[in-house]
Each structure stands twice: as C-alpha cells, then as structure tokens.
Amino acid sequence: MRLNLSSQIVLNKVPVDIYQPKTAVDRSELTRYEKIVTDIFPKTEDGASHIADQVEAEIKARQREGKYCVLGLGTGLSLTPVYSELIRRYENRTLSFSNVVVFNAYEYFPITDTTKNSSIRQLKDRLLDHVDIPAQNIFSFDGTIEQDKVQEACRLYEQRIESFGGIDVMLLGIGRVGNIATNEPGSGLSSTSRIILVNQLSREEMTMSFGTNEPVPPCSITLGISNILKSRKIFLVAWGEEKADIIRETVEGRLTDAIPASFLQTHNNAHVVCDLSAASKLTRIIHPWLVKSCTWNDKLVRSALVWLCLKIGKPILKLTNKDYNENGLTELLALYGSAYNANIKIFNDLQHTITGWPGGKPNADDTYRPERSTPYPKRVIVFSPHPDDDVISMGGTIQRLVTQGHDVHIAYETSGNIAVGDEEVTRFMHFINGFNQLFGGDKDEVIKNKYKEIKTFLASKKKDDPDSRDILTIKGLIRRGEARTACTYNNIPLSHVHFLDLPFYESGKIEKLPMTEADVEIVRALLREVKPHQIYVAGDLADPHGTHRKCTDAVLAAIDLEKADGAEWLKECRTWMYRGAWAEWEIENIEMCVPMSPEELRAKRNAILKHQSQMESAPFMGNDERLFWQRAEDRNRATAALYDQLGLACYEAMEAFVEYKPL
C-alpha cells in the first residue's frame, strides 16, 4: 500500500539537469541568482540521505584521525528524516557515533526538570537515544537556571565548544520567518549565544514540533549567528512548499537581519538542502528561461507568458515581438513564429480552463471543456479533511454541482475536534442542561451527572492541558452539527453527508498518529459504495499541521488500490484537487476554473459562517491573520483579477482546480 502518493504529485515536471546540474559550468549558469550552494532533490528521502552521507564521511574521517567529530544540531521537524537515516545506518552497523560530540543549538527557557518538551529531550528522542554516542559527549544549554545566570552560562557554553576545536558540521532547519536555531528576525550578524524572546509564529511551529498540547516557553537560549557561522560546514534543511518562499528569500534575497538565515550567504561552506517543493520558487525552477535555454512545453510557455504579462503590465493579446525579445523570451518567437501565434495559443488555453459547468455540460461539445459532458448527472464525492474545508475551498463549485443536478456526497475525513475552543463546549453544555431542566423535569441523571463532571473538568483544566475523551467527543459533535447545517444550506441531503473519523487524527494532540491501512480502508469503502464519476480532494499540502496531506494520501492510496484491483467505476472517474484554506493554485497549473457571481460568493461566505466554532475563536489559524472566509474570498477574487489582468473574462471570483492523474 502506497501511503505517500501526495509527495509524488508533480505539477510542473522539472528537467533533472535543472535541479541537479551535470557539470560545474552548468551549475554556475543555472545558479547565477543563488548566493548559497543549494542542492535540490526530487524527494525528501534523497535529500536526507545526501546529508547523512556528508555527516557519515565527516565522522569516519575524524575516527581515522583519532579525533572527535563535533556536531551542532537543531531539533526542527525538517531534520527528522536526516536523523532517521543516521539511525538506520547505525542499526545496520555501518556507522558508529562513539567519537561524536553533540552541542544542542538551542534550549527553551524557562523550563523545569519535569518539562517534557525541552529541546534536548526532542533531540534524544529523535536521534541521540538510538545511537551509541556517549552520554558525557552530549551538551546543551540549561533552560532551568535562573535568568541572571544565563549570560555566564552562554559564555561557558561557547568556551566548551572551542575546547573541542569548534563545530565540524552544523545541521539546522529554517522557520517560516527565516529564523535559524532560534535567532529571530532582528538577530545581527555578530550576535552570540544569548537568551531571546521567541515570536508567536515560531512558537506555533515549535508547538507542532512538540506534537503535544504543552505550551512553548516564551524564550530560548540559542547559539548566535556568529557562533553558527564559525562551524566548518553548515547544512540548512527544508522540505515542502510551505518553505518555498522563505528559501527563495534566503538563497536569492539580500543579506538582512529581517531574515537571519540569509547570513549563511557569508559562509564559504554552507549548503541549503531541499526537495523540489521547497525549491519551487527559486529562479531556476520557476523561471528557468532566465538562466538557460529551455525545452518548452505548454505549461512552461503559459508560465512564461503570465510572468511577462505581469512584469510589463499588458494582457496576453497585446504582447509584441519586442516584449518577448527584451525579456529573454526570444526562443518562443522562434518556436511559434511570432508573438501573435504564441499569444493566441496561451489565451485559448486559459480560456478553455473557465467553465460554469464543473460537472460537465450535458449535450455540449466538450472538446475544449475541462470536464466531460457524459455521464450526466455525475456521482460526486468531495473529500474534506476538516469539517469546513469543503465550503472554504470549493463552496461555490459545490453550489453549482448541486444546482446542476449532480449527486453530490460530502465526506468529512476527520472530526476536527481539537480545533474547538472550550467555551464552545461550555455553551452547548449549558444549553443541554437548560433544555433538560425545562423539558425533562431535570430527571435525566445522565445529563445532570455528565454536566457536573465536564463543568468540574473545565474549571480545573490548565491552559493547553489535553482534553478528556468525553470533551473531545462533544467537540466532534459540535463540528458535525455545523457541517450538517452547512450541507443543508447547500441543499445536500444528510444521507449524502459522511463522517469518516479517520483514526490517525484521534490522538487528542496536535501531532497526529501515523496514517495507516485502517484509514485507507475507510475511504475505500465509501468509494466502492458511491462509485463516483468525480472525486475532489485537498491539494492544500502547505497546511502547516499536515492533516490535509495525510487525508489526501488516504484518498490517493484508496484510489491506487482500486486501480490495482481493476475497479470498473474508476475508468469513468476523474480526480480534482482544490485549494483555498492555505494557498491558491498558480495560474500555469490551473486546469479548471469555476467563476462565481457576487451572489454566489456571498452564498459561499454564508456556508462558511455556518461553522461558528471556526470563526474568531479557531485556535489554528497559522501565520495568516485573516479568518478562513476572508482568506477564501481574497484568494477567489485574486484568481479572478489575474484572469482579468491577462485579458480574459472579468468575474467577481473564481475557484481553481488541478486534475490528479493516478500514478
């Protein structure tokens, strides 16, 4: 069973020689915009293995010399695949850590002896406890000391590093604001080890790294930028498209304390190691025509023309030969013969993505339409990771599908219970207790006892304590009720509303359980029951909490199994990926775009607002301060505005989709 198919989704097939140049000359040409050596790999596992090779070589070289190998280590989630690969090599007896000395890059402050989520505890759980490194060779800042002793402790920590000859290899992740270790924006090039206040966004990332509900301490004791830059070799690791923007700023942007990772540009042996998703905003990946001669395909041509239009402020059909020549696109003139021919080709391609019939228009020529006219009506399943992603990401399209007579099912993959605030539980329990007193004569002992029990629990609950199973159940019921209300608003019968409650989600914590065959079989059973002609899944893989990716992996794995079994229904089925909650599709990748009128956009907002628990009190908003209905409207309007800028039809808003083709 393939449980990670989402990692193999490739929207723009990047030639290998662009992300892995064959010669030094090729690398020099391709990386002209890059100020740090950047190694790009198609998959996370490949990148992790590459770093492990370098670390292993360093350790063994020091062993041959009879010396210690000194490692500086961070604890971010990005480093977990690297640590897993190092553990594998140790277990296979190809690598020993007996001569390794480790310095932890940072520690949270203040912590107590009972704090579970210290940085050194994470490092031990992910690497140190699984290899043969001597305990006396492990050093970390002490987060339990008094604040007035921190400065002296930092000085001694730096002296200890120097006593071992300095750090040979430093392994670091990068935060979404460009922080390395916990050097937050504003950290200077000359900064040394110190206590630092951790900003809110970084603390959210750390909470995810902890994977528990225990709060992150407000401060950290960290190696400074100058300490990090003294390392003989540095690896900065990043995976996934959520890191693409900050990797571009770090690697190609200017040197600035607003992005502390950019200071690695000054180091002569610093390497950024990332996968294609994290590298997707680098010039050689997103705009390869600026660095080399290209092998042009339709998507690359579309990307180039959209870039050109936005750069010079012209719609597609007004681009001239001169515009192409002056902006490095002469190859396209040779390919198409003239700007006019290229303009018409891409204009028509984009025009054909627009449709008011997402389920296909019956009795129509569908040669240039995104969806088939038959069968009609279609059976449709919309898979929603949480109980509101459906209306946030494709609420307008759902309305169209229902109005146009299709048989629409909504499948909510997780309960979404941890995203409900305690005040919502209190409000509903007050209602239930009051209802019982008014209409039940206060006779129902189950309600009375449960009300008292939950009231007592919430009164004694400390901030970020895990919820009891009863409270998680109530929170799940709250979200179910909201989802049913939104579906009823969209005229979807409740018999077509499915709550899958995938087991991986039910950890009661931010960090979820591994997605397994049990999750996939639940999805597969629904697919076999409905036998859909259309499937919609979340393509929002930048979701920082990872739930969207796991949910999509469950659906894709189920489809993969059905395909292997030769399921007849799958031959007439198409799978579409939506976005909206965390990002939007790039226009060069859009294959279906569904327009909305002002009234339809308002109806979409109303459906989102039915999820009352997820309005202003929703706890997991990420680094975007807008509420989810605001994000959805802004992104849908921005997509429509982009089509308008390119000279196509002008709509109020648009929802975009990309087709998933089973591997």
Side-chain angles (χ1 to χ4, degrees):
M1 184 178 292
R2 297 192 288 178
L3 299 177
N4 64 341
L5 288 171
S6 67
S7 66
Q8 299 179 41
I9 294 173
V10 179
L11 300 179
N12 294 327
K13 190 168 178 60
V14 181
V16 176
D17 60 356
I18 286 182
Y19 62 86
Q20 291 184 343
K22 294 178 180 178
T23 68
V25 174
D26 289 341
R27 173 177 281 276
S28 176
E29 179 183 29
L30 287 165
T31 62
R32 69 181 70 170
Y33 291 94
E34 298 170 18
K35 302 168 185 174
I36 306 175
V37 174
T38 303
D39 297 314
I40 305 170
F41 295 87
K43 293 187 294 185
T44 299
E45 296 83 357
D46 298 332
S49 182
H50 169 75
I51 297 173
D53 287 343
Q54 305 297 309
V55 174
E56 179 177 350
E58 193 70 32
I59 292 173
K60 289 181 174 178
R62 293 293 179 180
Q63 285 172 345
R64 288 191 295 270
E65 297 169 1
K67 296 180 179 178
Y68 287 117
C69 178
V70 183
L71 304 181
L73 302 180
T75 58
L77 286 175
S78 297
L79 291 167
T80 301
V82 180
Y83 295 153
S84 297
E85 176 61 18
L86 289 171
I87 292 169
R88 187 191 68 78
R89 296 181 186 203
Y90 167 73
E91 291 175 343
N92 288 344
R93 301 181 183 277
T94 62
L95 178 62
S96 169
F97 291 77
S98 58
N99 72 318
V100 171
V101 174
V102 162
F103 284 93
N104 189 17
Y106 60 91
E107 182 56 273
Y108 305 109
F109 183 88
I111 60 174
T112 66
D113 292 333
T114 60
T115 300
K116 297 177 182 177
N117 291 323
S118 67
S119 175
I120 190 62
R121 181 69 265 156
Q122 287 179 292
L123 197 52
K124 288 180 178 180
D125 288 344
R126 292 173 185 171
L127 174 65
L128 303 179
D129 284 351
H130 306 279
V131 297
D132 61 341
I133 182 171
Q136 66 269 21
N137 288 6
I138 300 170
F139 300 97
S140 179
F141 291 108
D142 184 357
T144 67
I145 63 175
E146 297 174 16
Q147 187 169 342
D148 60 2
K149 296 181 180 178
V150 170
Q151 187 172 351
E152 176 63 13
C154 287
R155 186 183 66 80
L156 293 174
Y157 197 71
E158 291 176 353
Q159 282 184 359
R160 178 160 284 166
I161 292 174
E162 291 302 318
S163 72
F164 282 97
I167 293 173
D168 295 306
V169 182
M170 174 71 71
L171 301 183
L172 297 169
I174 181 171
R176 281 178 284 166
V177 292
N179 48 302
I180 50 175
T182 48
N183 289 281
E184 297 292 305
S187 299
L189 182 62
S190 61
S191 60
T192 56
S193 302
R194 68 206 184 283
I195 188 170
I196 188 168
L197 183 67
V198 181
N199 73 29
Q200 184 59 36
L201 182 56
S202 297
R203 291 180 72 197
E204 285 183 18
E205 287 189 282
M206 291 172 181
T207 300
M208 289 173 54
S209 179
F210 284 165
T212 71
N213 296 319
E214 185 173 300
V216 176
C219 297
S220 173
I221 308 173
T222 184
L223 288 175
I225 300 293
S226 68
N227 305 118
I228 290 171
L229 293 177
K230 288 179 182 177
S231 306
R232 281 179 276 282
K233 181 179 289 187
I234 302 172
F235 289 101
L236 184 71
V237 184
W239 319 115
E241 61 187 275
E242 65 269 22
K243 295 294 177 70
D245 286 321
I246 197 62
I247 285 296
R248 181 195 64 224
E249 293 294 331
T250 297
V251 173
E252 297 186 350
R254 63 187 181 87
L255 207 66
T256 172
D257 61 11
I259 301 175
S262 68
F263 289 124
L264 296 184
Q265 294 175 15
T266 66
H267 196 279
N268 63 4
N269 201 4
H271 299 256
V272 170
V273 178
C274 56
D275 59 7
L276 272 170
S277 295
S280 61
K281 297 293 180 68
L282 294 178
T283 299
R284 62 168 146 150
I285 304 297
I286 194 171
H287 300 140
W289 56 87
L290 294 178
V291 294
K292 68 166 291 187
S293 178
C294 293
T295 301
W296 294 95
N297 56 34
D298 287 349
K299 278 193 175 182
L300 191 58
V301 175
R302 190 198 292 191
S303 178
L305 262 64
V306 170
W307 167 81
L308 180 57
C309 289
L310 297 179
K311 181 181 179 183
I312 65 177
K314 284 185 177 182
I316 290 176
L317 295 180
K318 288 189 177 182
L319 295 175
T320 65
N321 288 358
K322 181 181 179 184
D323 296 327
Y324 281 67
N325 285 324
E326 290 181 348
N327 291 280
L329 293 175
T330 306
E331 286 183 353
L332 287 182
L333 296 181
L335 185 64
Y336 285 93
S338 70
Y340 176 81
N341 291 337
N343 296 348
I344 287 291
K345 168 70 168 63
I346 300 306
F347 181 88
N348 287 336
D349 284 352
L350 288 170
Q351 185 67 46
H352 294 153
T353 65
I354 303 172
T355 181
W357 296 84
K361 187 173 183 179
N363 305 314
D365 179 3
D366 59 13
T367 304
Y368 297 110
R369 291 180 175 273
E371 257 295 356
R372 307 143 291 163
S373 59
T374 58
Y376 187 90
K378 289 181 173 67
R379 294 185 298 275
V380 179
I381 302 181
V382 177
F383 284 97
S384 180
H386 301 95
D388 58 355
D389 288 310
D390 56 329
V391 287
I392 288 171
S393 301
M394 55 175 292
T397 301
I398 290 172
Q399 294 170 38
R400 285 287 180 92
L401 290 167
V402 172
T403 302
Q404 291 167 3
H406 298 286
D407 186 25
V408 179
H409 294 250
I410 309 292
Y412 297 107
E413 295 177 84
T414 71
S415 65
N417 52 21
I418 69 165
V420 178
D422 291 344
E423 68 278 2
E424 293 290 326
V425 175
T426 301
R427 183 164 68 91
F428 276 87
M429 291 304 298
H430 283 332
F431 173 82
I432 293 169
N433 190 53
F435 183 93
N436 185 53
Q437 292 174 357
L438 289 171
F439 299 104
D442 201 21
K443 295 178 182 178
D444 194 320
E445 293 301 314
V446 173
I447 292 178
K448 288 169 62 179
N449 292 337
K450 189 60 66 178
Y451 177 78
K452 290 177 183 177
E453 180 185 323
I454 290 175
K455 187 176 179 181
T456 301
F457 178 88
L458 291 177
S460 61
K461 179 183 175 184
K462 297 188 175 107
K463 184 180 179 183
D464 296 312
D465 276 353
D467 286 322
S468 67
R469 178 45 56 183
D470 284 343
I471 288 180
L472 286 172
T473 300
I474 292 170
K475 289 181 175 182
L477 285 174
I478 290 170
R479 298 213 68 178
R480 280 193 178 206
E482 293 170 343
R484 287 191 181 100
T485 302
C487 286
T488 300
Y489 177 81
N490 282 329
N491 296 312
I492 296 170
L494 294 182
S495 62
H496 283 35
V497 180
H498 309 272
F499 296 96
L500 305 185
D501 290 336
L502 298 186
F504 84 83
Y505 186 85
E506 298 303 320
S507 66
K509 302 184 294 185
I510 294 172
E511 185 176 24
K512 305 307 172 197
L513 303 169
M515 197 260 291
T516 67
E517 185 175 342
D519 301 289
V520 177
E521 288 301 331
I522 292 172
V523 173
R524 193 180 184 189
L526 180 62
L527 292 175
R528 287 177 161 179
E529 175 190 339
V530 176
K531 295 180 172 59
H533 302 108
Q534 270 192 336
I535 297 170
Y536 289 88
V537 297
D540 251 330
L541 305 182
D543 162 27
H545 305 100
T547 300
H548 283 209
R549 181 179 289 277
K550 286 187 176 181
C551 285
T552 296
D553 275 330
V555 178
L556 300 187
I559 293 172
D560 193 47
L561 291 175
E562 287 293 282
K563 181 183 177 185
D565 282 354
E568 286 296 319
W569 67 266
L570 194 53
K571 295 176 182 178
E572 290 195 42
C573 181
R574 288 187 184 177
T575 302
W576 293 96
M577 299 184 292
Y578 60 76
R579 285 185 175 180
W582 299 99
E584 187 52 279
W585 294 114
E586 304 82 3
I587 193 167
E588 61 266 23
N589 293 317
I590 294 173
E591 294 173 289
M592 180 166 69
C593 212
V594 181
M596 289 181 283
S597 67
E599 291 77 16
E600 289 169 325
L601 185 61
R602 194 175 305 117
K604 172 176 176 171
R605 181 199 300 182
N606 291 341
I608 297 173
L609 293 175
K610 301 300 180 187
H611 296 269
Q612 281 296 305
S613 69
Q614 300 305 294
M615 291 303 100
E616 295 189 23
S617 61
F620 301 120
M621 302 298 290
N623 62 337
D624 191 331
E625 294 183 356
R626 297 171 298 174
L627 300 176
F628 281 111
W629 70 265
Q630 293 170 321
R631 300 184 196 188
E633 287 194 6
D634 288 349
R635 288 180 178 132
N636 294 161
R637 284 194 170 110
T639 300
L642 183 52
Y643 272 78
D644 182 29
Q645 283 179 271
L646 296 174
L648 291 108
C650 180
Y651 293 101
E652 176 71 10
M654 302 174 95
E655 291 175 337
F657 302 86
V658 171
E659 186 179 0
Y660 170 77
K661 296 177 176 62
L663 300 170

